[in-house]
């Protein structure tokens, strides 16, 4: 199994489809704990002249607990045969399950950052800044905040705590070579 590094300019993907249809596994590590969670609210682009990703993580996620204590995380992309695994990692918490073990994933590392042998693509991300959205940031749009925040988090993503936006530099992009 080998991966080749490509530059952001060489990325041959529709980023909108990748995020909204393929989804990401966002994975951070703290000591021996490697915890993946499914993420579909994210953006990619340029900030401070760097290629960056912004991942939106609700405060109640175990992933937030782990990622807030690590300098880096990965976003990995899988082919369609891993849909069930992404469903599991998007509905079960690492507080209750060892999701890596339950899903039969195999952890690789780029430096300190975990990613998965099963992924077709991995973005290695170094945190630049993290901040939590607040109700007043939404410019009085109560309809919007009322829909997406407060109350219980539901299966379609509504409800729950105000997201932490993890803005991170994409330091490496790894593409699996068949
Ligand atoms: C398709 C899909 C996309 C999701 N996107 C996000 C997201 O962008 N941000 C987020 O905080 N939770 C998102 N979730 C919910 C988390 O993946 C889910 O709550 C997970 O169980 C959290 O795991 P953890 O507690 O181990 O971090 C998504 C779930 C699914 C199924």
């Amino acid at each position: 199994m080998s991966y080749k590094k490509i530059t952001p300019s060489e990325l041959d993907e529709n980023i909108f489809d990748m995020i909204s249809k393929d989804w990401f596994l966002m994975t951070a590590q703290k000591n021996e704990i490697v915890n993946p969670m499914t993420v579909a609210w994210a953006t990619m682009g340029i900030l401070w002249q760097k290629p960056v990703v912004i991942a939106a993580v609700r405060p109640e996620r175990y992933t937030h607990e782990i990622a807030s204590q690590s300098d880096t995380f990965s976003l990995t992309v899988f082919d369609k045969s891993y849909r069930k695994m992404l469903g599991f990692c998007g509905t079960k918490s690492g507080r209750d399950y060892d999701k890596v073990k339950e899903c039969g994933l195999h952890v690789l590392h780029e430096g300190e950052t975990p990613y998965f042998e099963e992924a077709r693509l991995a973005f290695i991300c170094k945190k630049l800044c993290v901040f939590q959205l607040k109700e007043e940031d939404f410019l009085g749009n109560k309809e919007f905040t009322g829909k997406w925040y407060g109350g219980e988090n539901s299966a379609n993503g509504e409800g729950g705590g105000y997201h932490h936006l993890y803005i991170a530099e994409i330091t490496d992009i790894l593409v699996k070579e068949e």
Side-chain angles (χ1 to χ4, degrees):
M1 188 66 53
S2 68
Y3 286 81
K4 78 168 175 189
K5 287 190 185 182
I6 62 165
T7 65
S9 305
E10 291 171 317
L11 184 65
D12 185 18
E13 302 265 343
N14 182 307
I15 288 175
F16 289 92
D17 284 348
M18 183 173 68
I19 296 170
S20 66
K21 295 182 181 162
D22 289 351
W23 309 334
F24 290 128
L25 262 195
M26 176 175 176
T27 307
Q29 178 161 8
K30 175 71 182 157
N31 300 326
E32 299 307 307
I33 300 169
V34 174
N35 186 60
M37 90 160 182
T38 305
V39 160
W41 285 14
T43 72
M44 281 187 179
I46 302 291
L47 281 173
W48 309 295
Q49 298 181 346
K50 292 175 183 295
V52 297
V53 62
I54 305 177
V57 182
R58 291 195 193 266
E60 55 268 40
R61 310 292 185 235
Y62 188 50
T63 296
H64 175 58
E65 190 177 324
I66 302 290
S68 63
Q69 298 178 70
S70 24
D71 295 333
T72 66
F73 60 86
S74 67
L75 296 175
T76 42
V77 185
F78 296 79
D79 67 36
K80 294 278 179 265
S81 62
Y82 289 96
R83 204 65 173 175
K84 200 170 155 207
M85 175 278 288
L86 289 167
F88 187 85
C89 292
T91 51
K92 305 290 184 250
S93 177
R95 291 193 183 91
D96 306 316
Y97 294 89
D98 179 343
K99 291 193 260 185
V100 173
K101 196 165 146 204
E102 293 285 335
C103 296
L105 293 168
H106 297 87
V107 180
L108 300 172
H109 284 90
E110 176 66 24
E112 303 281 295
T113 312
Y115 67 107
F116 299 109
E117 196 177 301
E118 289 75 13
R120 66 177 181 80
L121 181 60
F123 296 90
I124 308 298
C125 306
K126 180 170 169 257
K127 284 185 334 192
L128 296 175
C129 68
V130 182
F131 62 95
Q132 187 173 23
L133 291 165
K134 304 182 291 302
E135 184 175 353
E136 53 266 39
D137 295 328
F138 287 87
L139 309 174
N141 191 344
K142 292 229 182 313
E143 188 188 345
F144 188 88
T145 51
K147 176 176 170 63
W148 295 113
Y149 299 104
E152 286 295 302
N153 192 203
S154 66
N156 61 1
E158 294 177 20
Y162 281 87
H163 289 94
H164 289 262
L165 297 182
Y166 279 72
I167 306 184
E169 179 180 359
I170 300 169
T171 53
D172 291 290
I173 305 176
L174 308 174
V175 183
K176 186 182 271 176
E177 292 183 304
E178 295 305 334

